[in-house]
Each structure stands twice: as C-alpha cells, then as structure tokens.
Amino acid sequence: MKGNKGSDTPGVDEKTMRTDILNKDFKKVLKEVKNQFQHYTPNMVRRVHIPKDNGETRPLGIPTIVDRVVQECIRSVLEPICEAQFFEHSYGFRQWRSTEHALSRVTDVVQKTGYHWVIEGDISKFFDTVNHTKLIKILWSFGIQDRRILMMIKAMLQSGVMDEIIKSDLGTPQGGIISPLLANVYLTPFDNFVTREYERKKLRKEYSSGQRSLILRGLSGKPRIKPIPCYLIRYADDWVVVTNSKKNAEKLVYKYEKYLRETLKLTLSITKTKITNVRSKAIEFLGYKYKQVRGKAEKGYISRTKPIEDKLDKKIIELLKDIKMLKKCKDTETLISDINIINSKIRGLINYYQVTTWGSESMKKYNQRVRWAAYRAIRRRLGAKSAKGKNKKVDWMRANLCTNLIELHSNYTTTLPTLKYKEHVIGVTDLAFIKFQQPTLFNQMETPFTKEGRERHLTRLRKRPKQFRLDFIFGADAMATRRLLANKKKKKRLYNFEFYLNRAYAFNRDKGKCRICGKEIAPHEIETHHVNPNLTTELVNRVSNLASLHASCHNDMHNLTLTETLLLAKGYTTTSVKKILNFRNKLAMNSL
DNA sequence: CATACACATAC
RNA sequence: AUUGUAUGUGUAUG
Ligand SMILES: Nc1ncnc2c1ncn2[C@H]1C[C@H](O)[C@@H](COP(=O)(O)OP(=O)(O)OP(=O)(O)O)O1
C-alpha cells in the first residue's frame, strides 16, 4: 500500500500513509487497526470525478487510509478462497494473469475451433450497479459464511459518499481495495451460467469440435437439444464469447441479457454489445483489434491483431504534446530526465502492443512525426547553433551509438534524435523498435495459490525462491518483534511503523547474515542498525539506511571503549573490525 | 541477487 | 493532486 501512488492522497479525513501510518508508533497503528475489527464503522468515501477515455466521467470513491488497511486485511484472506472457485478464463484483476493471456486465449479458441462468430459484451457502469444483498448471497455460496466478515463487507459497501445524500444499496466504490475482488465474485455465477452447458462439459476434450451426434440423452432418457457451442473469455466486465454461427450468437445474447438483468441486476448494454464475424470484421477487446485473414496458403485463416487505431492516435497526440514541452526545460539536466520520461512512455506503448502481429505497421505510421518533433524540440531548447558545427550537441545519431537503453539500442542502426552531454549520448527511442512477441497462453497450473504453482512460476522466470519467511521472523508476534517492543529506552522517532516494516526487507537483502561478522543471525539475536540515525523521519528508515546485525555485534560496535586491539582480542576478524570502524565513522561523521 | 521508484496498458 | 486491482518495461541504490 505504501508503494501506491495514492498512498499520500487522503480520503474524507486528512490522514495519509506517511503521516498516519509509517511515521507513527508501531503498537499504536496495530491497535488502531485491531480496534476497527471490533465495531467496524467505515468512513464515507471521497468522491472525485476523473475523465474516461470515451469523454464521460468516472466517479471514484476514495476510502480513508485506515479503511484501505482494513479492506486489504479482508481482501488478503478472501482472495485465496475466491480464487479457487473463479473461472479459468477470467483474466481481470487476478494475480499473474494479464490482458496478453486474455488476448491469446481468444485467438487460440478461434484458431483451434474454427468458430468465428464473436459476441462482444459490455456491462454498463459495472462497479456502480453491483447489488449488495445479491453480492453477500454469492459470497455465502462461495463458502464465506462468517457473519462478522460478511457484516464488515456489508458495512464497507454501505458507507455512503461524502456530500451525497442518497445512500443506496447499489455499487462497490471504484477505488476500494476489495472492489476488484468483489467484482469477480459477483460475475462468477455469470461465468458458470455461460460455460456450464458446453465449455465446462468439454474440458477433457478441449477443442474437439463438431463431430458428435446432434441429440444427447439426459438421465431421464428425454432427448435434449445439443447445447450451443461457446467459449467465454472475461476481463472484469469486459467479455467475449466465441460461437459457431450468427443465429446462435443472437440466441446467446438474448439468454445472457436476461440472466444478467434478472439474476444479477446488471444491464448488458444492448447498443454496445456486438456480434461480429471475425473473418470479415475486427473485434475490439482490451485495447486490441482482432480479426482473421486469409493466409498465404489457399485455405485456412490466420490471426491478425493490432492496436485500436483511435486509442493509439490519442496516445500519440499526448506524446507529441509532451515532446513539445521539452523545449521549456529549465536546464540540461531536467531536459535529460524529461527525455528519459518520454522514452519510458514510448517503451510503455511498445511494450503493450508488441504482442500484436500488426503492431509494427501501426507504429510506423507515427514514427516520423515523433522523431522530428523530438529533434526540433531539443534543438529549440538548446538554440539553432547547437545543431551545427563539428561538436553538435543535438544531432541524428545511430541508435547503437547511444549510451541510453543500450540493451535495446545496440540492435539498431536507425538514426535517432540525440543530445550529447558530457560523456552521454541520449537518444529519443523510436516507436519502430517494436518487435513482435508471440503472446502466451496462461498456464492454469501456475498460480500463486498453490505450492506447485509457485514453484512453476519461479522456474519459468528462472528465479530462486525467497530464502526467508519474513512474516515468521518479523511478524507482530515474532520473537524479533517482541524483543524490540520490550526494549524501553528506544527513540520513538527512529522506531516507527516504517522501521518495523523495512527491517524485514533489510534482513532479506543482507541474506540473513550479519553485516559485521558475516555469520547467520538467528531470529532471537536480530537487531537492525540505523547507518545514519540523523536523517529526516522520511529517510532514516529506508531500507538503504538499515543494516542487519547480531545483537552482540551491534553492542560492540556502539561501545567506543572497545578499541581496535580490544575488538581483535575479543575474536573479531580484521575484516569485521574494519566494518565496525566503518559503521562508527559514518555515525561520527553524520552527528557533526 | 534484492528493493524502490518512474513510465505504460487493461478494467 | 487521480483511487484501486493486475500485468509489463525501464532507471537507480545496496
Ligand atoms: N481507473 C479506475 N479506477 C478504479 N476502478 C476502475 C478504473 N477503471 C475501471 N475500473 C473498474 C470500475 C468499472 O465499473 C469497471 C469497468 O470499467 P469500464 O467498463 O471502463 O467502465 P464502467 O463499466 O464503469 O462504465 P461503462 O462501461 O458503462 O462506460 O472497472
């Protein structure tokens, strides 16, 4: 939560993460949060309207920091329970799943089944129309039946909006920490409704299409109509169903609309819901366009994906505006840092669209405009003569000669607008440096909620597992924490809530070893030293200012009567002594 | 190897 | 000051 951009944006009270959690006393914070769980009365949410992409506005509901903490507590226990019951091809708001997975699922289904009639569904004002009582019932059906938890969730949902009179029993705040989880819970019955007749039944024989008899016999022996073949891919309230004919698509839309309206009290925007033959027209999903086109070989179709043009258009216009602002930079240093920001914006766009087969073609349309805008803006900033003569500061340089983004730029000899400053050659990166990456399907076994799933994840990313269970060593009831709390003569300013959090990260960084003697530290002897205790409250407890030590090493380091020779006599190695002296030096220097 | 902080995208 | 969940990239520090 503290890493969130909004952590210093208050709700209806004035409280922020920095002033009211991190800088506060550890025990006080714990107590305040625990108190919330006695009789939970959440604050109202603060209403802020932000512009949406389509010109309308989005009403945010910003909870107070304490309410965010409480919501996070509840989210973290509910999530594993819910996850086990979510639909496998729901990709929104879920760990380790992404838009890329959703997109590749769509193309994969279409390619392998040959079905090319697609329904694009859109639920109006989704978060704002979630029905509270229905939601609680669905949670119950998920097996979440603890009255206390359900009452707290109900309270969160009903805590009205500041400055708005009407208290309704509709909606979960856009901005609430549990809202995305609740949204997926709420649509799970819909997932089941869509998939239970066909997709779920066919799980074992995935994709084997069309060759079964038209009539199946149910248990009663009564002939049953063969279910309409259909596959659902959902991302939050945005969903796509792939089926085999226009007629069937129409039937399904009819059924789905009725179900959503009658059972979930949601409106399927009929005007926005479209039925498309992806062999003749593209669908739009998650910022991507997708259609099938004839392949080079006579028969068969291949997938083509690309960015939605007008969305990309808008982004590029924004980008060009930013680039033009470069000419207003105060000095060369801010110019460089602004170029880096421009570069990360360009990289961001490339990164999102590199999974599209036609991404490169789309980017090339804007390429030249962006390059020249950048060149002119930098030249304007530094004056016309900076682009003339032998040692031009502003110049076109080959990408592989730039000193920034080396890993990327070294693969290209395209010229880029560059700025030379000291030893650096800073290039404005190019939209055309987009390289198609085949989007991957989500591996259903790879989830953070099982031991095996976590292992698969680590091996795929070629990472090593975390060595320590930080919550065991540093949790509120852990030995190291109790010992610290028992220590009476500690300075309040240093030992605030942030310290309790960050000492765990420092310990992990130090690999559980003492920064003085290099030996492992057992849980009962961990102490965390402030390298420079005189920094401001915001800086003292940064991980970079903390060092994990043995309690004894820590003591000896602070005990100035122990001279170098006495330390050696005590059995410290020469390198350990050096480290002790180093720490002492830093303390002495900074206390001046 | 780790964390923290910028940017991007989806909803 | 524009909140949240998720994904991805880059830079910096040890
Ligand atoms: N920036 C955001 N912050 C918080 N929640 C968001 C944000 N963007 C989207 N959401 C959540 C709340 C939305 O109800 C839900 C679906 O988003 P979206 O389809 O874009 O709008 P919407 O369903 O609220 O209105 P509509 O589709 O009628 O325009 O995702």
Side-chain angles (χ1 to χ4, degrees):
Chain A
M1 280 180 63
K2 96 170 159 177
N4 283 348
K5 227 190 197 161
S7 68
D8 279 319
T9 306
V12 289
D13 55 13
E14 294 295 288
K15 299 187 172 171
T16 66
M17 177 60 70
R18 171 54 57 193
T19 59
D20 294 87
I21 307 277
L22 298 178
N23 289 357
K24 272 215 182 155
D25 181 62
F26 180 72
K27 271 188 180 163
K28 286 217 181 94
V29 174
L30 280 201
K31 205 172 155 201
E32 188 179 352
V33 173
K34 276 186 182 164
N35 274 344
Q36 299 292 323
F37 282 80
Q38 298 305 313
H39 306 283
Y40 186 49
T41 47
N43 288 95
M44 289 192 272
V45 292
R46 186 161 63 87
R47 182 63 94 217
V48 170
H49 294 274
I50 62 165
K52 275 203 290 201
D53 245 12
N54 60 9
E56 297 169 43
T57 65
R58 155 168 282 119
L60 298 180
I62 304 173
T64 63
I65 292 289
V66 181
D67 288 330
R68 283 183 232 174
V69 172
V70 173
Q71 289 194 29
E72 173 60 22
C73 292
I74 291 188
R75 191 188 68 84
S76 61
V77 305
L78 294 195
E79 190 175 42
I81 299 169
C82 300
E83 274 290 337
Q85 299 164 75
F86 283 160
F87 172 50
E88 347 165 44
H89 299 294
S90 158
Y91 293 96
F93 312 134
R94 296 180 64 187
Q95 276 190 61
W96 297 359
R97 291 162 193 248
S98 62
T99 52
E100 181 188 325
H101 294 133
L103 175 68
S104 63
R105 170 68 183 174
V106 174
T107 63
D108 192 56
V109 167
V110 174
Q111 287 296 129
K112 290 195 177 144
T113 59
Y115 301 155
H116 49 274
W117 285 94
V118 174
I119 307 165
E120 295 164 73
D122 186 278
I123 294 162
S124 312
K125 308 257 173 304
F126 176 39
F127 277 33
D128 303 325
T129 55
V130 167
N131 183 295
H132 296 176
T133 36
K134 184 71 198 174
L135 173 60
I136 298 290
K137 281 189 188 140
I138 298 171
L139 282 167
W140 179 275
S141 78
F142 265 68
I144 295 156
Q145 300 177 353
D146 187 320
R147 293 284 283 264
R148 294 164 301 180
I149 294 287
L150 291 174
M151 288 312 285
M152 285 183 77
I153 292 172
K154 185 123 195 170
M156 288 170 191
L157 295 170
Q158 311 248 314
S159 72
V161 178
M162 197 66 170
D163 298 329
E164 281 179 23
I165 318 108
I166 314 138
K167 279 211 177 182
S168 85
D169 48 5
L170 248 47
T172 179
Q174 306 193 35
I177 286 186
I178 37 166
S179 295
L181 178 69
L182 296 181
N184 274 334
V185 168
Y186 199 74
L187 284 184
T188 296
F190 176 69
D191 297 337
N192 295 335
F193 178 76
V194 172
T195 59
R196 96 187 144 204
E197 282 187 347
Y198 183 80
E199 190 173 353
R200 284 256 155 94
K201 289 222 168 110
K202 289 184 57 73
L203 272 183
R204 287 195 195 164
K205 277 179 81 183
E206 185 115 338
Y207 298 136
S208 71
S209 66
Q211 274 133 20
R212 302 193 310 176
S213 68
L214 282 171
I215 307 290
L216 299 169
R217 295 200 179 268
L219 282 174
S220 62
K222 198 172 75 182
R224 264 203 308 140
I225 312 287
K226 191 189 171 188
I228 297 171
C230 60
Y231 293 91
L232 171 67
I233 299 95
R234 187 166 70 77
Y235 192 100
D237 71 330
D238 220 354
W239 54 267
V240 151
V241 164
V242 178
T243 187
N244 62 352
S245 73
K246 185 172 187 183
K247 216 172 191 169
N248 279 337
E250 281 161 356
K251 280 190 201 160
L252 292 175
V253 168
Y254 179 81
K255 272 178 52 180
Y256 299 161
E257 190 280 332
K258 188 168 144 79
Y259 179 84
L260 288 169
R261 178 165 40 81
E262 289 179 354
T263 312
L264 295 179
K265 323 279 184 219
L266 297 172
T267 24
L268 181 64
S269 159
I270 280 296
T271 50
K272 282 194 206 161
T273 299
K274 293 178 208 150
I275 294 171
T276 310
N277 176 355
V278 288
R279 291 190 174 170
S280 55
K281 196 167 172 299
I283 57 156
E284 296 187 350
F285 188 47
L286 308 177
Y288 303 113
K289 266 194 173 185
Y290 165 62
K291 71 180 295 194
Q292 280 191 314
V293 294
R294 279 230 158 73
K296 277 193 184 143
E298 263 316 295
K299 59 179 174 183
Y301 285 82
I302 56 168
S303 292
R304 175 176 299 169
T305 50
K306 61 174 162 188
I308 296 176
E309 287 86 351
D310 46 345
K311 261 190 187 189
L312 184 57
D313 253 23
K314 280 185 191 147
K315 295 290 166 193
I316 299 289
I317 289 167
E318 289 293 306
L319 180 68
L320 286 168
K321 264 191 214 156
D322 290 345
I323 288 175
K324 281 176 191 143
M325 292 301 287
L326 284 176
K327 65 171 185 253
K328 292 192 178 160
C329 284
K330 282 204 305 280
D331 47 57
T332 316
E333 311 245 309
T334 51
L335 177 61
I336 288 171
S337 102
D338 282 14
I339 289 176
N340 285 333
I341 289 171
I342 300 286
N343 277 343
S344 66
K345 289 187 180 181
I346 295 175
R347 298 257 355 149
L349 290 171
I350 288 177
N351 192 261
Y352 190 71
Y353 293 116
Q354 81 193 151
V355 293
T356 61
T357 58
W358 226 238
S360 178
E361 280 70 11
S362 298
M363 292 303 191
K364 274 176 192 151
K365 287 182 195 148
Y366 306 101
N367 194 16
Q368 290 304 328
R369 255 197 290 165
V370 171
R371 290 157 57 79
W372 280 97
Y375 178 73
R376 279 195 291 264
I378 300 170
R379 196 183 55 189
R380 273 278 275 283
R381 172 63 190 78
L382 297 174
K385 63 170 186 264
S386 65
K388 288 190 185 128
K390 274 210 165 159
N391 304 9
K392 309 175 199 181
K393 276 193 191 159
V394 187
D395 198 3
W396 293 94
M397 295 271 286
R398 278 165 40 203
N400 57 348
L401 299 176
C402 292
T403 55
N404 62 337
L405 295 170
I406 288 174
E407 218 158 307
L408 176 76
H409 287 163
S410 59
N411 301 319
Y412 296 91
T413 53
T414 321
T415 59
L416 299 179
T418 54
L419 168 65
K420 276 178 235 167
Y421 180 69
K422 293 181 182 165
E423 299 303 302
H424 304 285
V425 183
I426 291 111
V428 178
T429 198
D430 200 306
L431 279 170
F433 294 169
I434 179 172
K435 205 170 166 220
F436 176 60
Q437 293 282 165
Q438 186 71 51
T440 54
L441 288 170
F442 180 74
N443 177 354
Q444 298 292 341
M445 301 307 299
E446 190 178 319
T447 103
F449 303 100
T450 64
K451 189 158 188 277
E452 196 206 342
R454 289 188 290 270
E455 276 161 8
R456 278 173 187 272
H457 191 64
L458 290 171
T459 45
R460 185 171 62 78
L461 298 178
R462 293 189 194 79
K463 275 178 142 178
R464 324 203 91 266
K466 284 236 166 70
Q467 353 196 357
F468 307 106
R469 281 295 302 262
L470 296 179
D471 49 341
F472 286 173
I473 305 173
F474 293 101
D477 289 327
M479 177 115 57
T481 306
R482 288 212 306 273
R483 228 167 61 84
L484 190 53
L485 287 169
N487 182 358
K488 286 282 187 278
K489 54 172 186 179
K490 63 188 189 226
K491 291 174 216 135
K492 271 239 168 88
R493 196 181 70 84
L494 254 44
Y495 298 92
N496 58 19
F497 189 85
E498 191 179 25
F499 171 76
Y500 279 79
L501 279 181
N502 283 352
R503 76 212 158 106
Y505 296 129
F507 185 74
N508 208 6
R509 180 205 55 201
D510 296 333
K511 301 191 172 77
K513 307 226 169 85
C514 175
R515 287 264 297 262
I516 285 178
C517 68
K519 295 198 188 91
E520 298 214 345
I521 317 176
H524 66 277
E525 49 186 13
I526 300 170
E527 287 198 359
T528 309
H529 169 60
H530 290 91
V531 176
N532 176 1
N534 297 317
L535 292 171
T536 60
T537 315
E538 280 95 69
L539 296 176
V540 265
N541 285 317
R542 290 177 82 130
V543 180
S544 56
N545 192 47
L546 300 177
S548 316
L549 303 176
H550 283 110
S552 56
C553 295
H554 194 195
N555 262 330
D556 292 343
M557 188 268 292
H558 280 299
N559 184 352
L560 298 183
T561 62
L562 290 173
T563 60
E564 199 172 335
T565 42
L566 284 173
L567 285 168
L568 285 167
K570 248 193 138 190
Y572 284 100
T573 65
T574 45
T575 49
S576 299
V577 173
K578 238 188 230 164
K579 293 201 168 142
I580 288 176
L581 295 179
N582 198 4
F583 277 127
R584 284 179 183 171
N585 261 339
K586 282 187 181 151
L587 285 173
M589 264 169 46
N590 292 314
S591 63
L592 287 181

